[in-house]
Structure formats: structure tokens, C-alpha cells
Amino acid sequence: MPVRKSSLVAPPVLLTLAAQLLSAQGAASKRPMTFLDAQYLKSAGSPAVSPDGKQLLYTVSTPDWKEATSQTDVWISPTDRGVAGTRQLTFTTAKNEISPRWAPKGGWFVFASNREAPAASAGQQQLFVMRADGGEARRVTAAKEGVSTYAFTKDGQWLVFRSGKSGEEQLYALSVAAIEKGTPLDSLTAAAITKHPTGVGDWRVAPDSRRIYFTTADTTDTDEKLRREKKFTVNVRNAGTPTVSLWALELSGPTYPTTRLTRDTSLAVTGFTISPDGRYVGFNAVPNDRYKRNITEEGMYADVFLLDTQGNRVERITKNDEISESALSFSPDSKTIAFSASDDMTRYNMKNRRVYLRDVAATGGAFRKIGDLDGDNTVDFWSADGKTIYFNEGHKATAQLFALDVASGKVKPVTSVQGVVSVSQDDDTKRLLLNYQDPTTPGAIYTVASMLDLPKKASWVQLTDANPWVREQIALGEETEVTWTSKDGKPVGGVLIKPVGYQPGKKYPLLVAIHGGPAAADLLSFNGGYGAQTYAGQGWAVLMPNYRGSTNYGEAHKNGIVGNYFDPGYQDIMTGVDHLIATGLVDSTKMGVLGVERRWPLEQLDSHAYRPFQGDSAAVPARRTGFPCTRSPTCSGTASTTSATSCRTMISMPTGGRAPFSSFATPRRRP
């Protein structure tokens, strides 16, 4: 007689209770984020798509807080399965492997590393090759001064690299065929393809692999060079420097002739782009004026130029002062040129950027201005048919991808994430890569099969996962976008992080984290606001206000401080504080502010009728750092011993100090 097996089925209510219990246990096992947790976050970068689009090389950098260094390795991930199939390819512990690049035919790649650097030059990089399916890496360069930059020619014949002393670097070429044959290092000879007297600066290989374009100084300042060599390194303010010109190197060999392409000695070339068909070079140049060049505002004085390599005729596209233009961008068929600049190109202003475009052959013709987004309209990449320009831009407390229709000039959003996304397109394979983060997700790289899949986050394939421990171990404060009304009736937005373990109805101390700029914005990112999750883990609510002067909320909001720099932003911030007090979230007797660069809110706080904070000063994370108080005449002792009322104006960390904030004001509350 067969034995009958019993089947026990738990009632639904028991299953629900069990699930809740497991969830509660999981949450209870997590801990708040600390300052050091943020310092130990790894970062993924340097993505390189394989020629067939099926694999992604990338690097993972691991910080070492105690040694104040980081170490980088190369990883690989399949673009169809993502992190489920990711593998680490290099495993050095005290050396770095960086900048991986695929060979044009795929199967193997090159990376730079200091793994065999001499002790006297521990940071010196050489090039190594490695198969994508693993195995030992093989060194292929023995450059005396190491390798600084490198690239393959698209025809797959040469691996070109730059090497030499600073200011004297030259280009060298290795035969890819010789590398693939496994030629030993001592027999692998790099051909010197430039012998330029002033060295080679920025350089790029033309799409047709026939040329290399590079910039270089016209002359060498021998006195300046000698001064630096003698270690007399005082920097001269607005020092005059040699003009920089654009050159072309012919890869025909054996002499590798070079030709100077720009000859106007009143202009210095600052950057350039090459059209897909190789005929045109767009470049930006700045006046060779010591008060307009090599300064913070250099880009405002630069203009855009177009070089036709068939005859080397140069067309000046723009001519203005105090208006910055982007680099020229070419449509996929090389028939259209575009750049972004201010909506008003006649004088300095803070207007939103628009896209200017015209046919490349219409020399001297007018540009058409397009882009109706109330934000900066720019050029990141084009659709294959050239009918759409895609660009990344902030929108309120998020960052999205937008599509600009070339024909109509209209803009529409492509993504609508509650986070921060930046989309790029691989030049060769056209594969889309996404850098994404949100309040619970540290930055990672994703991909999608096509532009049609981009709006659907469920279709994204995650390729990197450098910090899985965050979701496994860390309890985070809930982060949301908030809005309120300022004193003058204008709407204001920002980001709010509630304390870890938040309980409705309970009042919490508040920190206001004020971003710098002011033309910037706090976003729904991971651990923004000067490491705000650290404070949320200590029981603080954190408000990151995007006050007047911030970007992402339209031109009127960004320009709302023009002619009245202090008061609008101050009112925006304080009405935000009042809003949180009114909701019952904030204990108005326990409030503080921190920020960097924009110190006027701190001064405003000190000048208005606010009473000193009377609460427990030990609750303020800044008080525990142990760094000396600076920048305050009434401040003495250290931040760990000074009372909340004795440092009246500000507490700042000394230069080079490690602290999770840049400045801290005396906590205040309204009377």
C-alpha cells in the first residue's frame, strides 16, 4: 500500500506575516551610512565597447582611505547579460590598469599600467595587451618616459602612442600585425612618427586613418622651461605663453610629413573635432592675449572656426567677446555643422543656450537657431539619419536625455527617471551607454538595445555594479523632491532627505545643505548634499534647496538673482525651512546650515534676528570631526570641543583636512 504524503499549505495571512518579518529583519540588519563609507565607494569608468558591440571593458577604482590612494583594475561585461556575466580581468594590488581600448578587429585589447614601473618612477605607464577571454597580459612598449596617451588607427594597422618629457612629447607607432604575431618586446620597435621641436599636445586620428591632427606651441619659452627644471615653480599670474596652432601629420611614411594648418598668430587653438568623412576640422581658438587666455574665463573669449582640408581654407564662424561656444559637431553625413551658445550672442548674459546649425558647405551663411527647452539646449550626439540631436540636461531635481528635432526645432524628453541619467553613444558601434544613479543606487553604467528602449527603465541592462554592499548593508534615508512657495510667491524646489528610521509625527533636527555655483542644482542622486546620508544616518533631516540662481528650473529662476544677488536666494532657503517646520517634520530649535563657496547665506543668517541654537551641540556631526575651528574671530578650540554658540559665524575645515563638509554655520532658528 503506497504511503500517502501529506501536503501542508500555509494560510495567506501567515505567508504575509512571514514576509513582513523577513523584511523587518533585513532592514534591522542594515546600518546607517558613515563618512568613511562614502570614502570607500568604488567607481566604474573608462567604458570601451567591443567592435561587435557585445562586450564592454571598464575600470573599477578602489579607494584606500588610510593611504590616500586608489587602485584600478580592468573588468569586462557582456552587453546582453550585464552584471550576471561580468568578470575581473586584472588583479594587481598596488598598481593600476587604466584606459582599456579594444583592437579594431576585437578579441584583444590594450591598457596602460604602472605594474612594471621602476621604483624611481613608480607612476610611469607602459602599454600592455591582453585577450578578452583572459590570460596573462603582455607588455608591448618600453618608452623611456612612459606612455601618456594612445589610440588605434581605425584601419587596424597602427597603435599610436605619445611619450616624452613634458612639453617635448612625440608620437610613436607600433605595428598591430607585429603585436598580433606575439613579437617579443625587445624586437617590437616603435616608429617615431613625429619629431616636432615643440612636442605634440592634443591629438586625434582622422576617421580615414590617413592623418593625425595635433596641436602644438609655435615656440618654446626656454627661460620658462629652465625655471621649471630648476624647481622654481612659482606660477606667474596671467603669464604670456606661446601661440598654439593646429597641425596635420600624414601617416603615409616613411618620412611622416607634417603641415601647419592654422597660421594666425593672434589666435591660440584650444580644441578641435573632425568630421566623420575626414574632410573638415572644427576648432575653437582664443585670442593670444594674456588677459583672455589661460584664465578661468578663457572659454568666453574663444570663437569657433571651420577648416576645409581640401585647400586648408579657414572660415571664422563666430566673432564675439564674453560669449562661450561649444565645439563644432558634425552630422553623421558630414553635411551639417552645429554648436551651442547663448540665446543672445551679442553680449555677455546668463540666457539659456540654443543650438546653431547650417549646411557645412554654406560658407559665410547664416546659422539657424533651434531648441525650445527652457534650459540649455546643446549637442551630445546625432541620430543616424541626422534628423535628431540628443543632449543631456537637468530638469528640476533630475537629469534627463532630450531629443531636439532638427527640422522643427522642438525639444521633447526621452527619459523621465527619478534620478540622474547621462546618455552617450559609442562612435563606432553606436551602442548607447547610460551613466545612472538615484537616491538608493550608486553610479553605474547601463546599456539598451535601441533608442526605443531608452524610456523604459525595465529594458536597461546594468553592466557595472561596483558597490553591491550598499544595498546589502546600508540603511538610507528616504530622499524625495520637494517644492514650496517663496516670500514673493515664486515656486522653489529642492531635495529632502529624511532621517534613517523616520517616524511620522516625530520632529527632527534639520541641516540645510547649500550648493555652490550658484548656477548649479542638487539632484536626486546618491548621497548628494556633501554626503547628506551621513547626517541622515545620525538622525538629521537634510534639505538641499535649489534657490534662485540655480539651474534646472528655467531661465527666469536662474537669472532671478541678477541685480539683487543676496535676498532672493536667502528668502528661498528660509521659506523652505519654514515649510518643513510647518509640516511638523523639523524641530525649529535644532537647525544648522552647511555649504561651500556661496557663503552669503551664512552671513545673511548671522545678520538677521536669529537666536543661537540652544539644543545638544553633540548632535551636530561637524562637532565630532576634531578639526580646528577657523575663519571665525570668536572661535577657539576644536570642532569637537567648541560649544554651538561660541563659533558664531562659521566652522571650516583647514585646507587638506578630511571632513564631510566644507563649512558649517552656527545653527539658528527664527524668533
Side-chain angles (χ1 to χ4, degrees):
M1 184 176 180
V3 178
R4 191 174 177 183
K5 296 182 179 179
S6 63
S7 178
L8 299 177
V9 180
V13 66
L14 293 181
L15 292 175
T16 301
L17 290 172
Q20 292 176 344
L21 179 61
L22 289 174
S23 177
Q25 289 175 339
S29 65
K30 294 183 177 182
R31 59 175 177 78
M33 175 171 276
T34 67
F35 169 64
L36 283 179
D37 284 332
Q39 312 315 307
Y40 284 119
L41 286 170
K42 299 179 181 180
S43 60
S46 300
V49 180
S50 62
D52 61 7
K54 294 182 178 180
Q55 297 181 95
L56 182 84
L57 292 168
Y58 64 96
T59 58
V60 174
S61 295
T62 303
D64 186 330
W65 171 254
K66 292 182 179 180
E67 299 299 325
T69 61
S70 64
Q71 186 274 326
T72 303
D73 280 305
V74 177
W75 291 59
I76 191 169
S77 185
T79 55
D80 58 347
R81 293 187 298 128
V83 293
T86 195
R87 292 182 294 118
Q88 186 174 348
L89 295 178
T90 64
F91 294 87
T92 54
T93 55
K95 302 292 183 178
N96 295 306
E97 284 79 35
I98 62 172
S99 305
R101 298 287 184 272
W102 288 95
K105 295 179 182 178
W108 59 279
F109 64 95
V110 176
F111 62 88
S113 177
N114 63 339
R115 56 168 59 187
E116 295 181 14
S121 303
Q124 186 183 94
Q125 308 282 343
Q126 299 290 348
L127 298 183
F128 295 76
V129 298
M130 188 176 188
R131 290 192 55 80
D133 54 9
E136 289 297 321
R138 179 167 61 92
R139 181 174 160 189
V140 294
T141 61
K144 181 180 178 180
E145 306 292 341
V147 174
S148 58
T149 56
Y150 71 95
F152 284 99
T153 57
K154 292 185 182 297
D155 62 6
Q157 292 190 35
W158 300 102
L159 172 60
V160 182
F161 63 91
R162 188 179 66 171
S163 179
K165 295 181 180 179
S166 177
E168 302 176 11
E169 291 180 295
Q170 305 294 339
L171 295 180
Y172 301 82
L174 284 170
S175 166
V176 170
I179 295 174
E180 290 180 329
K181 289 179 182 178
T183 304
L185 177 63
D186 56 4
S187 301
L188 200 58
T189 304
I193 59 176
T194 63
K195 296 180 180 179
H196 206 280
T198 56
V200 173
D202 186 21
W203 62 280
R204 290 182 181 84
V205 180
D208 60 9
S209 300
R210 296 179 180 179
R211 276 182 162 187
I212 291 177
Y213 294 95
F214 66 94
T215 59
T216 185
D218 288 358
T219 58
T220 299
D221 187 336
T222 54
D223 289 339
E224 175 68 9
K225 180 181 176 183
L226 180 62
R227 182 174 77 88
R228 296 283 177 178
E229 289 177 351
K230 296 296 184 180
K231 308 301 181 183
F232 188 75
T233 56
V234 174
N235 292 320
V236 178
R237 175 75 68 176
N238 296 116
T241 54
T243 301
V244 173
S245 298
L246 179 66
W247 290 68
L249 162 72
E250 305 296 334
L251 284 174
S252 54
T255 59
Y256 304 104
T258 59
T259 303
R260 180 173 173 173
L261 301 177
T262 59
R263 297 186 175 278
D264 187 344
T265 57
S266 68
L267 296 170
V269 177
T270 57
F272 63 92
T273 55
I274 308 170
S275 65
D277 65 2
R279 176 174 173 175
Y280 297 95
V281 179
F283 65 91
N284 294 62
V286 67
N288 192 29
D289 180 333
R290 60 184 294 188
Y291 298 107
K292 294 183 178 180
R293 185 180 170 206
N294 300 325
I295 60 174
T296 303
E297 302 85 358
E298 177 183 79
M300 294 169 53
Y301 297 103
D303 283 305
V304 183
F305 300 79
L306 179 66
L307 167 72
D308 186 344
T309 62
Q310 294 183 5
N312 295 337
R313 179 178 54 81
V314 174
E315 176 191 1
R316 184 166 192 154
I317 301 295
T318 64
K319 187 175 183 179
N320 51 58
D321 283 331
E322 298 189 340
I323 298 293
S324 65
E325 298 93 357
S326 72
L328 269 186
S329 179
F330 296 87
S331 61
D333 62 5
S334 299
K335 293 182 179 180
T336 305
I337 53 176
F339 66 92
S340 67
S342 171
D343 194 12
D344 179 1
M345 293 184 63
T346 62
R347 59 185 176 83
Y348 175 79
N349 59 80
M350 292 287 290
K351 287 183 174 293
N352 288 332
R353 298 178 78 85
R354 298 288 180 253
V355 172
Y356 296 79
L357 78 166
R358 69 149 220 231
D359 290 344
V360 69
T363 304
F367 278 75
R368 185 162 62 95
K369 181 168 60 175
I370 60 175
D372 63 351
L373 179 72
D374 191 8
D376 286 333
N377 301 252
T378 56
V379 184
D380 283 332
F381 58 95
W382 300 67
S383 61
D385 60 10
K387 294 181 179 181
T388 306
I389 293 173
Y390 295 97
F391 64 95
N392 298 282
E393 173 65 353
H395 177 64
K396 296 186 177 180
T398 70
Q400 311 290 347
L401 180 72
F402 292 87
L404 168 58
D405 182 76
V406 171
S408 68
K410 300 295 184 182
V411 175
K412 63 179 181 180
V414 178
T415 60
S416 58
V417 297
Q418 290 301 298
V420 179
V421 66
S422 178
V423 183
S424 62
Q425 184 182 68
D426 180 64
D427 289 339
D428 297 322
T429 66
K430 306 308 178 185
R431 176 166 285 279
L432 297 172
L433 297 177
L434 298 73
N435 276 286
Y436 176 76
Q437 61 176 296
D438 63 31
T440 61
T441 308
I445 301 172
Y446 297 73
T447 190
V448 290
S450 70
M451 185 64 69
L452 294 176
D453 293 319
L454 196 53
K456 301 173 290 186
K457 192 167 180 289
S459 300
W460 298 3
V461 178
Q462 185 174 350
L463 302 177
T464 69
D465 188 18
N467 300 285
W469 59 273
V470 170
R471 63 175 176 272
E472 295 165 358
Q473 302 176 23
I474 302 299
L476 299 169
E478 179 187 359
E479 183 173 336
T480 58
E481 185 174 3
V482 292
T483 59
W484 62 91
T485 301
S486 192
K487 182 180 179 181
D488 60 1
K490 301 290 186 181
V492 184
V495 176
L496 173 68
I497 300 182
K498 293 180 180 178
V500 174
Y502 166 74
Q503 299 175 18
K506 181 179 178 180
K507 292 185 178 182
Y508 294 89
L510 173 71
L511 281 178
V512 181
I514 304 173
H515 67 72
D522 277 309
L523 307 176
L524 291 170
S525 59
F526 182 78
N527 196 33
Y530 314 105
Q533 286 290 350
T534 299
Y535 304 114
Q538 295 295 315
W540 289 76
V542 182
L543 174 65
M544 294 170 268
N546 289 323
Y547 51 90
R548 225 79 57 95
S550 301
T551 57
N552 296 11
Y553 292 81
E555 185 176 290
H557 189 83
K558 180 177 66 174
N559 290 341
I561 59 172
V562 175
N564 187 13
Y565 191 71
F566 296 103
D567 193 61
Y570 168 73
Q571 297 297 345
D572 291 349
I573 293 168
M574 296 314 300
T575 52
V577 172
D578 289 342
H579 169 72
L580 295 182
I581 293 173
T583 64
L585 172 68
V586 171
D587 181 347
S588 63
T589 67
K590 298 179 179 179
M591 299 190 296
V593 59
L594 59 91
V596 62
E597 184 181 339
R598 297 267 81 79
R599 303 200 171 184
W600 54 263
L602 309 184
E603 297 165 1
Q604 291 278 312
L605 284 170
D606 208 47
S607 65
H608 281 66
Y610 280 74
R611 292 196 297 270
F613 165 54
Q614 301 296 331
D616 178 12
S617 62
V620 182
R623 305 303 180 203
R624 300 177 184 170
T625 62
F627 289 99
C629 295
T630 61
R631 298 184 181 271
S632 174
T634 61
C635 182
S636 60
T638 64
S640 59
T641 59
T642 305
S643 69
T645 56
S646 63
C647 285
R648 285 281 177 179
T649 305
M650 189 184 305
I651 296 175
S652 299
M653 62 179 180
T655 302
R658 294 172 179 167
F661 61 95
S662 295
S663 58
F664 196 90
T666 307
R668 307 280 181 175
R669 69 176 178 86
R670 285 184 182 265

